[in-house]
Amino acid sequence: MKQFDIKQAEFVTSVGQGQAYPAPLECEIAIVGRSNVGKSSLINCICNNKKLAKTSQTPGKTRLINYFLINRAFFLVDLPGYGFARASKTEQRDWGALIGDYLASGRPKHLFLLLDIRHEPSAEDRQMFEWVLYYGVPFTLIATKADKLSKSKRAVAANKAAKLLGAPPFAIPFSAEGANGREQVVDRIGQIAFDCQKQA
Ligand code: GTP
Ligand code: MG
């Protein structure tokens, strides 16, 4: 069988609270995680386009639900992150409403939950994981910024982060810097897209 790859990626639209989502496609995969964990960078890396999703050193860059069309077939969705210190109570409430409504919408067929490979999952990571389980959306854990650890430590640290979250003890080690783990993430997307097709 020919191996799946991401050949084409384009920005479609941004969706804020109370705004309409684009017409659904067979498959929609969304990326959740703490602010600054590298969600937008992962999208750019796997799509081989550094300018596709906006990234920043300052947490809180992505504020809306951003839809990307992949291979003219399915959606990859970049979500705003949680847990940055400067967010006001109002901003936190807005985030909760936007993400809560999205998860409850039944649109995401799969979630990528990103964890920083260097840190224990935070209370907010746990809360996010609870939401993922509550809404019953299938998920894959990805441990980002793997380049911050030596190669020999990455798999153990990634799996430990998953275990500490209370999930099955496996996470894909990933680095947007060195594109490490890109193939694994792209393969996973291929499988998910294939499963969506079968279920349609
Ligand atoms: P929000 O939009 O605020 O939720 O953040 P985000 O999760 O989209 O993070 P973003 O992709 O904007 O990246 C945040 C910062 O981390 C940027 O300075 C990136 O360059 C950096 N970064 C992302 N991925 C990696 C990685 O794999 N390795 C390293 N060393 N830095 C990374
Ligand atoms: Mg972002």
Side-chain angles (χ1 to χ4, degrees):
M1 199 174 81
K2 206 164 155 279
Q3 221 178 354
F4 174 83
D5 202 1
I6 293 182
K7 295 198 184 74
Q8 205 267 345
E10 63 189 282
F11 171 74
V12 178
T13 189
S14 294
V15 178
Q17 180 61 22
Q19 292 178 329
Y21 303 118
L25 295 174
E26 216 161 76
C27 195
E28 181 162 327
I29 302 169
I31 305 186
V32 295
R34 178 176 75 68
S35 264
N36 208 242
V37 72
K39 299 176 295 298
S40 303
S41 301
L42 178 138
I43 289 184
N44 290 345
C45 175
I46 62 174
C47 296
N48 286 320
N49 180 349
K50 283 206 160 73
K51 291 189 180 147
L52 193 59
K54 292 198 176 68
T55 66
S56 169
Q57 289 181 331
T58 313
K61 180 66 183 175
T62 309
R63 295 299 180 110
L64 298 167
I65 296 177
N66 289 323
Y67 274 84
F68 299 93
L69 179 65
I70 307 299
N71 294 351
R72 300 198 168 86
F74 62 91
F75 286 132
L76 198 56
V77 180
D78 191 12
L79 296 175
Y82 47 83
F84 61 102
R86 287 183 305 98
S88 66
K89 281 272 174 289
T90 313
E91 281 174 321
Q92 288 174 29
R93 231 187 357 253
D94 290 351
W95 179 90
L98 188 66
I99 303 298
D101 284 358
Y102 177 69
L103 293 179
S105 72
R107 291 193 50 118
K109 299 290 184 289
H110 198 100
L111 294 170
F112 286 166
L113 174 53
L114 272 47
L115 300 167
D116 189 313
I117 201 163
R118 298 165 297 173
H119 306 304
E120 272 196 22
S122 65
E124 281 157 316
D125 289 326
R126 288 167 202 282
Q127 210 168 42
M128 186 72 232
F129 185 54
E130 289 298 317
W131 272 22
V132 172
L133 296 180
Y134 175 80
Y135 287 109
V137 186
F139 64 90
T140 298
L141 300 178
I142 299 176
T144 62
K145 308 196 181 184
D147 55 282
K148 301 277 189 186
L149 296 182
S150 66
K151 279 208 167 109
S152 62
K153 293 192 172 141
R154 292 176 189 174
V156 171
N159 294 345
K160 189 176 161 201
K163 197 172 172 183
L164 288 171
L165 195 67
F170 176 74
I172 301 172
F174 179 83
S175 165
E177 292 271 297
N180 307 90
R182 182 186 180 276
E183 208 177 298
Q184 262 180 291
V185 173
V186 170
D187 280 354
R188 192 81 196 91
I189 292 174
Q191 283 167 10
I192 297 161
F194 183 70
D195 288 347
C196 285
Q197 253 174 18
K198 277 197 306 194
Q199 282 159 18

